[in-house]
Amino acid sequence: MSNNETHSATSPTPTILFRGTSQARLTECSVQNYKEVIKQQQQLTGESWEKNPQGQEVIVLDNSSDDDSHDINVDRNEKGGQHRSKRQRKAKISWKVRYECHRRARKQAYTAESNEDDEYDEDGIKRRPIQKRSKYIGCKANLMVYCYEEDEEKVYFQYINEHTLHVPGSIEDVQFLPKSKELHEQILEELRKGYNVRDVRQYLQREYNLHSNTNRDSHINTIDVYNIFVKYRQELCSRHTNDFKSIEKRLTELKQNGYHIWIDTSEGQESQQRLNSNDFAFGFVAPWQINYFSQARFVSLDATHDVSKYKDGVLYTMVIRDSVSGRGVPITYLFTNDLSSRPLLGWFHSLSSIGLNPQRFTIDRSLPEDNAIIQVWPSCSIQHCIWHVMRAWMQNVQSKVHGSIGRTPAQAKAHIRPHLKALMYEKNRERFHNLLNTFITEFSHSQPEFITYFKTYYVDMWDGKACERWNVSYQPEVFHAMQTNNYVESWHNQLKSCYLKRKRTHRLDVLVEVLVEEVAFDIKHKVSRLSVNVGRMGALERRFRVNEIKAEKEKRMPSPSNIIRLVDEEYSVQSFENNTNDTTYNVSYFCLFSRLYFLPSINI
């Protein structure tokens, strides 16, 4: 339409969308409210009008002269698309806006050469080959909004073309409608109160359950709430539009609050030069985590992928077993996309400078982690997670063990597996080395490929001390509950499932905020609760209770020969370490039968 286009000030008869509806399209409103009125039509008629494909409303200002405004009998429909009748005075258009049906044609249709079943698109981003049917079906319905110079406080609506290929307000069309603004605001309000996504969804589902089945707001999905939650959390966490400038500001704030901050930088390099999407490495420790360093003798270390939107980005976490609650507690974090040992070395040196001095690390079989630990803590022993070691063995048994004389391939594999398990769990060091030599000698001729692999990676590495990293005899006492990386593996699973909802597109400032605020609060609260034994028993409390029950039963029974009751609350106990040892101890009832009962030296 031309800039001289005019429109009838007379409101046309309202159009009913389909038979049975009691709501009609609006034809005019005040200029201040027209956007809200357009949004409300989704609730009234089932229509959802959106901006044009370029993402902006089309606003045309009419600056033409009013030379022919007196010509009231001229029909201008053929010249300028006039919307008034011949007998009506024409009115000049001040501006106009065009909206399109939300089920319009797609902005850029796929070319004939593109394959919808491709696993990756042209940008290398993996996409699902099977998706829901698109809402874009090519509907040609449009909504024009006109404002006239004679009354700039009011706007008029004109509906162009009927809806095609879909019926607005029908049950089939509900799945393609957006949420209403009112529902969006109510979700945001509940999230600000601190409720989680699931609780908000359940509460609002009951609130909106009275709406008709053709109303989009009556069908609240968890994803509806979660998408708003992600944006809301990102707004809270972001200190800058650039993720790494935001991270730098956040780390500065944490340092001022007593956190230990480490950023990997080269000599003469500023921190902002090291913090970018191609190369970043930074770690931090909270004050409450530093308090755990004194009891951090046995530490589990592992890295987890797919926690941020950056390629090769990983999160390293150190986890210890809390002595009170009996659960795993993270004591420090490292974010990096450098998978070498360089950031680990800098990070470990930084932690060592503030008091971390572990006796033993439990890690997966990772050479960068292994090498970095040896350089920073030479006296610290290293234990490889036996689950990962055993899995590697079984995978190589499957691929490298073949049939031999008198045995089929299946029989040969079944024969070698018990020998490997016996090697791993042999507790006597001398018998272990005898078993190891016998194992290598026995299978070196029948299974040379597997024995070469086994000796190279699990015997000869680290100057012939590789077996010390996986055999039980080299892991005395510490082996219980620390022979695998289950503590840190479980922690990473909770982080991804409960806090990140398995999403992989988070900014780093969001991840830091989650660890600093949400995770820290939950861990401190749970450790405090378990320490006073409120609620269900934890793993450690369960062990204590089992021993207390045994002790109460023992107290009611006649005293065994090696436990002599001296007075009501004092006992004489003969040493349990050696039956020939005549050493005795005078102990109280509490020490003998209460929570110290689980110690090996007082094991009944």
Side-chain angles (χ1 to χ4, degrees), residues 219-234:
H219 308 282
I220 303 176
N221 186 11
T222 302
I223 299 300
D224 295 335
V225 184
Y226 183 75
N227 289 338
I228 298 175
F229 169 70
V230 169
K231 294 181 180 178
Y232 168 66
R233 184 168 61 181
Q234 184 168 318

Side-chain angles (χ1 to χ4, degrees), residues 70-76 82 85-89:
H70 61 280
D71 194 0
I72 61 174
N73 293 325
V74 177
D75 184 359
R76 298 180 57 85
Q82 179 175 322
S85 64
K86 294 181 180 180
R87 298 300 176 184
Q88 290 176 321
R89 176 180 293 275

Side-chain angles (χ1 to χ4, degrees), residues 263-516:
I263 301 176
D264 186 20
T265 56
S266 302
E267 185 177 354
Q269 190 180 35
E270 298 294 334
S271 60
Q272 59 267 26
Q273 295 176 297
R274 187 71 168 95
L275 291 177
N276 57 74
S277 59
N278 297 322
D279 189 19
F280 63 88
F282 64 92
F284 62 91
V285 189
W288 67 270
Q289 293 174 314
I290 295 177
N291 295 333
Y292 275 103
F293 280 17
S294 60
Q295 57 178 285
R297 295 183 299 160
F298 314 126
V299 180
S300 292
L301 172 68
D302 194 20
T304 184
H305 299 260
D306 299 328
V307 293
S308 70
K309 62 181 182 180
Y310 301 103
K311 183 180 180 181
D312 296 330
V314 297
L315 166 65
Y316 281 95
T317 310
M318 287 188 186
V319 175
I320 67 168
R321 185 173 181 265
D322 184 78
S323 58
V324 176
S325 65
R327 61 160 290 163
V329 175
I331 60 173
T332 182
Y333 310 102
L334 170 70
F335 290 93
T336 183
N337 62 348
D338 186 348
L339 304 183
S340 68
S341 60
R342 173 188 165 180
L344 292 171
L345 276 172
W347 185 43
F348 290 166
H349 278 298
S350 176
L351 296 177
S352 177
S353 67
I354 60 173
L356 183 63
N357 188 25
Q359 296 180 13
R360 186 179 303 275
F361 266 99
T362 302
I363 62 174
D364 297 347
R365 196 177 179 280
S366 170
L367 293 181
E369 297 174 16
D370 207 308
N371 294 333
I373 293 171
I374 292 174
Q375 293 189 46
V376 179
W377 294 289
S379 60
C380 179
S381 60
I382 299 174
Q383 175 184 332
H384 289 167
C385 173
I386 62 171
W387 184 87
H388 287 87
V389 172
M390 185 62 71
R391 183 183 66 171
W393 286 354
M394 294 304 136
Q395 288 175 344
N396 282 273
V397 163
Q398 193 67 25
S399 60
K400 293 181 172 62
V401 173
H402 309 288
S404 59
I405 298 176
R407 290 190 178 94
T408 64
Q411 292 172 337
K413 294 170 185 178
H415 178 65
I416 200 173
R417 289 188 185 111
H419 289 77
L420 291 171
K421 293 180 180 179
L423 283 173
M424 175 172 286
Y425 293 103
E426 177 54 56
K427 297 182 179 180
N428 184 282
R429 196 169 298 178
E430 183 177 353
R431 286 200 298 268
F432 163 71
H433 285 285
N434 291 335
L435 285 174
L436 180 63
N437 293 331
T438 303
F439 174 80
I440 293 175
T441 302
E442 178 182 351
F443 291 98
S444 58
H445 296 292
S446 59
Q447 305 296 339
E449 185 179 0
F450 179 81
I451 293 300
T452 300
Y453 154 79
F454 182 80
K455 289 181 62 179
T456 301
Y457 295 103
Y458 295 97
V459 179
D460 298 336
M461 285 190 71
W462 295 288
D463 298 327
K465 298 181 179 180
C467 57
E468 298 180 7
R469 285 165 163 76
W470 52 266
N471 175 250
V472 174
S473 64
Y474 288 95
Q475 317 293 335
E477 297 181 4
V478 185
F479 197 73
H480 175 71
M482 294 297 290
Q483 71 270 37
T484 68
N485 251 353
N486 283 350
Y487 279 120
V488 67
E489 296 278 3
S490 175
W491 151 244
H492 282 154
N493 181 59
Q494 291 178 47
L495 175 66
K496 289 182 174 181
S497 301
C498 301
Y499 296 97
L500 304 181
K501 304 299 181 183
R502 293 292 170 183
K503 302 296 181 181
R504 304 181 181 184
T505 57
H506 296 285
R507 285 168 49 117
L508 290 178
D509 53 6
V510 172
L511 295 176
V512 171
E513 194 73 16
V514 168
L515 295 174
V516 169

